Amino acid sequence: NQALDLMKYVDEINLKYGGEGTKLYTTAGTRFKTLCIQNDLHLLDASVRHLGTDINYIVLENIYAYFSNEDVTKHYGMNAFTELSEAEALVQNFAKSFHNKRAIRWAIERKERAGLIGTIGFNLWQPLHKRAEIGYELHPDFWRLGYVSEAIDRVVEYGFNELGLTRIGAVVYLE
Protein backbone atom coordinates (compact mmCIF):
# COMPACT_ATOMS: atom_id res chain seq x y z
CA ASN A 1 0.00 0.00 0.00
CA GLN A 2 2.91 2.39 0.74
CA ALA A 3 4.31 1.70 -2.72
CA LEU A 4 1.00 2.63 -4.33
CA ASP A 5 0.83 5.82 -2.25
CA LEU A 6 4.37 6.73 -3.30
CA MET A 7 3.56 6.07 -6.96
CA LYS A 8 0.48 8.29 -6.70
CA TYR A 9 2.59 11.03 -5.08
CA VAL A 10 5.18 10.86 -7.88
CA ASP A 11 2.36 11.01 -10.43
CA GLU A 12 0.93 14.13 -8.78
CA ILE A 13 4.35 15.81 -8.99
CA ASN A 14 4.66 14.80 -12.65
CA LEU A 15 1.24 16.34 -13.39
CA LYS A 16 2.02 19.52 -11.46
CA TYR A 17 5.16 20.13 -13.50
CA GLY A 18 3.49 19.83 -16.89
CA GLY A 19 3.35 16.09 -17.48
CA GLU A 20 -0.43 15.90 -17.89
CA GLY A 21 -0.08 14.51 -21.43
CA THR A 22 2.09 11.59 -20.32
CA LYS A 23 0.57 8.18 -21.12
CA LEU A 24 -0.80 6.23 -18.17
CA TYR A 25 0.18 2.53 -18.05
CA THR A 26 -1.32 -0.18 -15.87
CA THR A 27 -0.33 -3.71 -14.89
CA ALA A 28 -3.90 -4.80 -14.16
CA GLY A 29 -5.32 -7.27 -16.69
CA THR A 30 -2.12 -7.47 -18.74
CA ARG A 31 -0.32 -10.47 -20.20
CA PHE A 32 2.55 -9.62 -17.86
CA LYS A 33 0.21 -9.89 -14.86
CA THR A 34 -0.97 -13.30 -16.10
CA LEU A 35 2.61 -14.54 -16.45
CA CYS A 36 3.39 -13.36 -12.91
CA ILE A 37 0.40 -15.25 -11.50
CA GLN A 38 1.33 -18.41 -13.46
CA ASN A 39 4.83 -18.30 -11.96
CA ASP A 40 3.77 -17.52 -8.37
CA LEU A 41 5.12 -13.96 -8.55
CA HIS A 42 3.32 -11.04 -6.96
CA LEU A 43 2.75 -7.87 -8.96
CA LEU A 44 1.12 -4.65 -7.79
CA ASP A 45 -1.95 -3.64 -9.74
CA ALA A 46 -0.67 -0.15 -10.32
CA SER A 47 -1.11 2.65 -12.80
CA VAL A 48 1.93 4.80 -13.55
CA ARG A 49 3.01 7.33 -16.10
CA HIS A 50 6.07 6.55 -18.15
CA LEU A 51 8.59 9.15 -17.02
CA GLY A 52 10.84 8.68 -20.04
CA THR A 53 8.43 10.03 -22.65
CA ASP A 54 8.88 13.24 -24.59
CA ILE A 55 6.03 14.88 -22.66
CA ASN A 56 8.15 14.90 -19.50
CA TYR A 57 10.78 16.90 -21.29
CA ILE A 58 8.24 19.74 -21.29
CA VAL A 59 9.01 20.19 -17.61
CA LEU A 60 12.75 20.43 -18.28
CA GLU A 61 12.15 22.66 -21.30
CA ASN A 62 10.10 25.06 -19.13
CA ILE A 63 12.91 25.24 -16.59
CA TYR A 64 15.49 25.61 -19.34
CA ALA A 65 13.43 28.40 -20.94
CA TYR A 66 13.96 30.75 -18.04
CA PHE A 67 17.32 29.51 -16.74
CA SER A 68 18.82 30.03 -20.19
CA ASN A 69 17.77 33.68 -20.01
CA GLU A 70 20.55 35.93 -18.69
CA ASP A 71 17.99 38.39 -17.30
CA VAL A 72 16.86 35.62 -14.94
CA THR A 73 20.21 34.08 -14.02
CA LYS A 74 21.94 37.37 -13.23
CA HIS A 75 19.53 37.64 -10.28
CA TYR A 76 19.97 33.99 -9.40
CA GLY A 77 23.74 34.16 -9.05
CA MET A 78 24.61 31.70 -11.80
CA ASN A 79 25.44 31.55 -15.50
CA ALA A 80 22.65 31.06 -18.02
CA PHE A 81 22.05 27.46 -19.08
CA THR A 82 23.31 26.46 -22.51
CA GLU A 83 22.12 22.82 -22.48
CA LEU A 84 18.93 21.06 -21.44
CA SER A 85 20.99 18.67 -19.30
CA GLU A 86 21.69 21.61 -16.96
CA ALA A 87 17.95 21.88 -16.25
CA GLU A 88 17.85 18.17 -15.47
CA ALA A 89 20.81 18.55 -13.10
CA LEU A 90 19.06 21.47 -11.37
CA VAL A 91 15.90 19.42 -10.79
CA GLN A 92 18.04 16.60 -9.38
CA ASN A 93 19.76 19.11 -7.12
CA PHE A 94 16.36 20.41 -5.92
CA ALA A 95 15.36 16.83 -5.04
CA LYS A 96 18.67 16.04 -3.32
CA SER A 97 18.58 19.28 -1.31
CA PHE A 98 15.03 18.53 -0.18
CA HIS A 99 15.96 14.97 0.79
CA ASN A 100 18.88 16.34 2.85
CA LYS A 101 16.64 19.03 4.41
CA ARG A 102 18.77 21.85 2.99
CA ALA A 103 16.17 23.33 0.65
CA ILE A 104 12.56 23.01 -0.43
CA ARG A 105 11.18 24.14 -3.79
CA TRP A 106 7.69 24.62 -5.25
CA ALA A 107 6.49 25.24 -8.79
CA ILE A 108 4.94 28.55 -9.77
CA GLU A 109 2.22 28.24 -12.36
CA ARG A 110 -0.75 30.27 -13.46
CA LYS A 111 -4.14 29.30 -12.03
CA GLU A 112 -5.81 29.50 -15.41
CA ARG A 113 -3.24 27.39 -17.29
CA ALA A 114 -1.00 24.54 -16.18
CA GLY A 115 2.68 24.85 -16.90
CA LEU A 116 5.76 25.86 -15.00
CA ILE A 117 6.66 29.57 -15.16
CA GLY A 118 9.09 29.58 -12.23
CA THR A 119 9.95 28.11 -8.86
CA ILE A 120 10.08 29.45 -5.32
CA GLY A 121 11.31 28.02 -2.08
CA PHE A 122 13.68 28.00 0.81
CA ASN A 123 17.45 27.75 0.36
CA LEU A 124 19.92 27.35 3.19
CA TRP A 125 17.10 25.70 5.16
CA GLN A 126 18.27 24.87 8.67
CA PRO A 127 15.46 23.06 10.49
CA LEU A 128 17.50 22.80 13.70
CA HIS A 129 17.99 26.58 13.83
CA LYS A 130 14.50 27.27 12.45
CA ARG A 131 15.68 29.52 9.65
CA ALA A 132 15.86 29.63 5.88
CA GLU A 133 16.46 31.97 2.98
CA ILE A 134 13.68 32.48 0.46
CA GLY A 135 14.47 32.55 -3.24
CA TYR A 136 12.66 32.37 -6.54
CA GLU A 137 13.04 32.72 -10.27
CA LEU A 138 10.38 33.48 -12.83
CA HIS A 139 10.32 33.58 -16.62
CA PRO A 140 10.57 37.27 -17.68
CA ASP A 141 7.27 37.03 -19.59
CA PHE A 142 5.58 36.89 -16.19
CA TRP A 143 7.51 39.57 -14.30
CA ARG A 144 5.56 42.33 -12.55
CA LEU A 145 2.21 40.52 -12.82
CA GLY A 146 1.86 39.61 -9.13
CA TYR A 147 2.75 35.91 -9.39
CA VAL A 148 5.79 36.15 -7.13
CA SER A 149 4.02 38.37 -4.56
CA GLU A 150 1.27 35.81 -4.20
CA ALA A 151 3.75 32.92 -4.05
CA ILE A 152 5.94 34.66 -1.45
CA ASP A 153 2.93 35.22 0.82
CA ARG A 154 2.06 31.53 0.72
CA VAL A 155 5.62 30.26 1.10
CA VAL A 156 6.38 32.57 4.05
CA GLU A 157 3.14 31.52 5.73
CA TYR A 158 4.06 27.86 5.18
CA GLY A 159 7.56 28.47 6.55
CA PHE A 160 6.32 30.00 9.79
CA ASN A 161 3.20 27.86 10.32
CA GLU A 162 4.18 24.44 8.95
CA LEU A 163 7.99 24.31 9.13
CA GLY A 164 8.17 26.21 12.41
CA LEU A 165 10.69 28.73 11.11
CA THR A 166 11.43 31.77 13.27
CA ARG A 167 13.58 33.59 10.72
CA ILE A 168 13.28 33.92 6.94
CA GLY A 169 15.87 35.96 5.06
CA ALA A 170 16.40 36.95 1.44
CA VAL A 171 19.23 38.07 -0.81
CA VAL A 172 18.24 41.05 -2.94
CA TYR A 173 19.96 42.05 -6.19
CA LEU A 174 19.55 45.70 -7.13
CA GLU A 175 19.31 46.65 -10.81
Side-chain angles (χ1 to χ4, degrees):
N1 203 17
Q2 287 179 331
L4 292 173
D5 289 343
L6 180 60
M7 291 164 70
K8 182 180 177 192
Y9 175 69
V10 168
D11 189 51
E12 289 169 0
I13 293 170
N14 181 40
L15 293 174
K16 183 168 181 73
Y17 283 90
E20 61 275 345
T22 310
K23 185 175 179 182
L24 189 63
Y25 294 88
T26 184
T27 56
T30 63
R31 184 173 181 278
F32 183 63
K33 174 77 174 185
T34 304
L35 286 171
C36 287
I37 291 170
Q38 290 170 350
N39 291 288
D40 274 339
L41 299 172
H42 297 282
L43 179 70
L44 289 174
D45 283 329
S47 296
V48 295
R49 292 181 198 277
H50 188 278
L51 298 179
T53 64
D54 290 340
I55 296 296
N56 287 287
Y57 286 103
I58 292 171
V59 174
L60 295 177
E61 287 171 348
N62 288 343
I63 292 171
Y64 179 79
Y66 53 82
F67 273 106
S68 63
N69 186 313
E70 289 182 9
D71 288 333
V72 172
T73 57
K74 73 179 178 185
H75 300 291
Y76 204 77
M78 61 191 287
N79 294 325
F81 287 176
T82 58
E83 297 181 16
L84 191 61
S85 62
E86 292 171 289
E88 185 175 3
L90 181 67
V91 170
Q92 290 172 351
N93 186 50
F94 286 163
K96 182 179 177 184
S97 294
F98 176 72
H99 177 75
N100 293 329
K101 293 194 175 198
R102 292 189 322 239
I104 186 170
R105 212 80 187 154
W106 292 275
I108 300 174
E109 40 178 40
R110 296 172 285 173
K111 291 177 186 174
E112 65 277 3
R113 184 169 180 225
L116 189 70
I117 62 171
T119 72
I120 187 168
F122 293 120
N123 307 311
L124 304 175
W125 177 26
Q126 298 178 0
L128 181 65
H129 301 290
K130 299 182 179 184
R131 65 183 182 199
E133 181 180 288
I134 196 167
Y136 66 88
E137 78 290 327
L138 190 71
H139 192 285
D141 290 350
F142 304 99
W143 289 1
R144 296 176 181 82
L145 296 175
Y147 292 109
V148 171
S149 297
E150 183 178 343
I152 285 175
D153 287 346
R154 293 201 174 136
V155 170
V156 167
E157 180 181 329
Y158 183 86
F160 287 132
N161 296 334
E162 301 299 322
L163 297 178
L165 300 178
T166 58
R167 180 173 151 192
I168 297 173
V171 173
V172 178
Y173 292 92
L174 299 176
E175 299 244 14

